[in-house]
Every structure is written in C-alpha cells, then in structure tokens.
C-alpha cells in the first residue's frame, strides 16, 4: 500500500515539474538579408507557438512597414506556415512530423533589422502516459490546464514586451528625427534671414550711391 502511494506521489511530483520542461527558444538577433534557425520537436501532435517582432533598423532615419518574411518547414522540407512582409506576427501549428523544423527569415528592407523571435513547444507527456488513475485523473487534468494557462501568459508577456520595445524605439527615433528636422529648419531660416539682410544692405547701398551722384 505504501509503495503504491509512494509511486503516485512520485508521479505527482514529476508532473509538477513538467511546466519547467517545455522546449522554448527566445532570441533577439540582427538580420542582414536572411537568417535560418532549427528547432527539434520530439512528438507528433505537439503544438508549436511562434512569434516575432521587428524591433528596429540599424539607422534611426529609416522607418518603413516593409517587414520580413518567415517560412516554416518540417523535417521533410514541406512548408508548414509562412508570414509575408510583416513587422510582427504570432501563430501556432500542430506538428505532423516529428524532427527538426526550420524557421527561415528574409529581410525585405535594405537595412539591417533587429528581430525578436520566440518559439515554444507545448507537450504534456506525463499526463498522456500516467493520467489513467481514476483518483489522480481529475487532478492531472487541472494541473495540465494550469500549466497551459501559465505557459500562455508567459508567451503573451514575451510578445507584448517585444511590441513595447519596438514602439519605444520608434518613438525615440521619431523624437530624434523631429529634433534634427527642427534644427535644420532653424538653420535654414537663419540662413534665409542672413541672405535677406545682405540683399537689403546691397540695395540700400546702391540707392545711397545713386542719390549721391
């Protein structure tokens, strides 16, 4: 009897650690023309969550909505998903073939772009294998739901953080451009005023010379 309880307790403790065993990749990289990443998925039927945000360009003077392309392919080279000309996107897909999946970005801009890229793979193997006990089944189901909710919150939080970073950089760049524009306009106004003063002085000097003659 004690061995059975100990075994169930062991399953429970292992299950509680499952949220920390999810496969996750979150990186921020600088892209020139293109960049590819690989991520291994161990189980068919898993859900892969993907998000990316184009944070900034390598020059504060550049701003466009050209975006980037992202193509996802399975281990057989079949296209699973594609995002075209987007500055940000968030999607998910069900794994049909386990193995290494490739995520390839293509830059649509002539400038280097900084991209925030996040991949999470959701899998709950211990629930699938050991949640057959009539007493522990409902508990496992609740823990699974809690795990999914926590995971979704973290994924969404990372997405919102990347979006916030992008907006902050855009605002900063717009402020910088506005200041530079104001300085250039002020310099142009001063130059125009100096030219007007010079022309007026020349005009008065000519009139004065004519009056003396």
């Amino acid at each position: 009897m004690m061995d059975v309880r100990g075994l169930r307790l062991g399953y429970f403790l292992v299950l509680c650690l499952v949220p920390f065993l999810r496969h996750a990749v979150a990186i921020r990289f600088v892209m020139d023309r293109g960049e590819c990443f690989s991520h291994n998925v161990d189980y068919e039927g898993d859900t892969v969550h993907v998000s990316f945000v184009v944070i900034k360009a390598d020059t504060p003077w550049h701003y466009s909505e050209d975006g980037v392309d992202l193509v996802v392919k399975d281990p057989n080279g079949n296209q699973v998903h594609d995002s075209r000309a987007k500055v940000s996107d968030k999607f998910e897909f069900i794994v049909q073939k386990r193995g290494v999946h490739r995520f390839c970005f293509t830059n649509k801009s002539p400038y280097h772009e900084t991209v925030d890229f996040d991949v999470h793979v959701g899998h709950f193997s211990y629930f699938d294998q050991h949640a057959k006990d009539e007493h522990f089944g409902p508990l496992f189901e609740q823990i699974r739901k809690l795990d999914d909710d926590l995971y979704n919150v973290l994924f969404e939080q990372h997405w919102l953080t990347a979006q916030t970073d992008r907006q902050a950089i855009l605002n900063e760049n717009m402020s910088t451009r506005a200041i530079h524009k104001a300085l250039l306009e002020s310099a142009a106004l001063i130059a125009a005023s100096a030219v007007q003063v010079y022309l007026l002085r020349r005009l008065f000097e000519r009139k004065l010379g004519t009056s003396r003659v």
Side-chain angles (χ1 to χ4, degrees):
M1 186 68 177
M2 292 298 295
D3 291 340
V4 174
R5 291 182 178 178
L7 183 60
R8 290 177 177 177
L9 179 60
Y11 286 158
F12 176 75
L13 293 177
V14 170
L15 183 62
C16 289
L17 294 176
V18 169
F20 302 98
L21 301 178
R22 287 181 180 268
H23 297 283
V25 174
I27 60 174
R28 185 169 294 187
F29 63 96
V30 177
M31 178 172 59
D32 183 11
R33 294 292 86 207
E35 198 77 39
C36 288
F37 300 92
S38 299
H39 191 71
N40 185 55
V41 183
D42 295 324
Y43 301 95
E44 296 177 359
D46 282 357
T47 301
V48 179
H49 302 259
V50 182
S51 72
F52 71 87
V53 178
V54 179
I55 301 295
K56 65 175 181 178
D58 62 354
T59 168
W61 295 101
H62 167 68
Y63 173 75
S64 73
E65 294 291 337
D66 293 338
V68 298
D69 294 344
L70 171 61
V71 177
V72 183
K73 293 185 178 181
D74 66 12
N76 292 332
N78 299 319
Q79 183 171 302
V80 176
H81 179 89
D82 71 322
S83 299
R84 299 292 180 179
K86 292 187 177 182
V87 296
S88 66
D89 197 11
K90 180 174 58 174
F91 60 89
E92 62 183 49
F93 63 90
I94 304 298
V95 175
Q96 304 297 327
K97 179 70 175 179
R98 69 184 183 90
V100 177
H101 287 63
R102 288 180 59 82
F103 303 80
C104 290
F105 289 90
T106 302
N107 189 6
K108 308 291 289 186
S109 166
Y111 303 93
H112 290 77
E113 301 279 6
T114 300
V115 180
D116 187 283
F117 177 48
D118 190 11
V119 177
H120 285 275
V121 179
H123 182 74
F124 209 81
S125 60
Y126 283 96
F127 174 79
D128 297 336
Q129 298 169 12
H130 304 297
K132 299 179 180 179
D133 188 279
E134 59 181 4
H135 300 292
F136 279 86
L139 178 60
F140 286 162
E141 176 63 20
Q142 292 301 317
I143 294 178
R144 185 191 67 80
K145 291 180 179 179
L146 179 62
D147 175 62
D148 288 342
D149 292 341
L150 177 61
Y151 158 75
N152 289 332
V153 168
L154 294 175
F155 183 78
E156 193 71 22
Q157 184 180 35
H158 183 91
W159 161 262
L160 293 176
T161 299
Q163 292 279 15
T164 301
D165 290 346
R166 169 181 167 80
Q167 192 59 47
I169 292 172
L170 289 179
N171 292 340
E172 181 180 354
N173 290 345
M174 290 178 65
S175 298
T176 301
R177 288 195 293 269
I179 293 174
H180 289 168
K181 181 180 178 181
L183 292 174
L184 290 175
E185 290 177 348
S186 299
L189 182 60
I190 293 173
S193 300
V195 171
Q196 289 180 349
V197 170
Y198 173 77
L199 293 176
L200 288 174
R201 288 184 61 181
R202 290 292 304 273
L203 179 62
F204 281 123
E205 287 175 356
R206 288 181 179 180
K207 287 187 175 181
L208 183 61
T210 304
S211 299
R212 287 178 179 176
V213 173

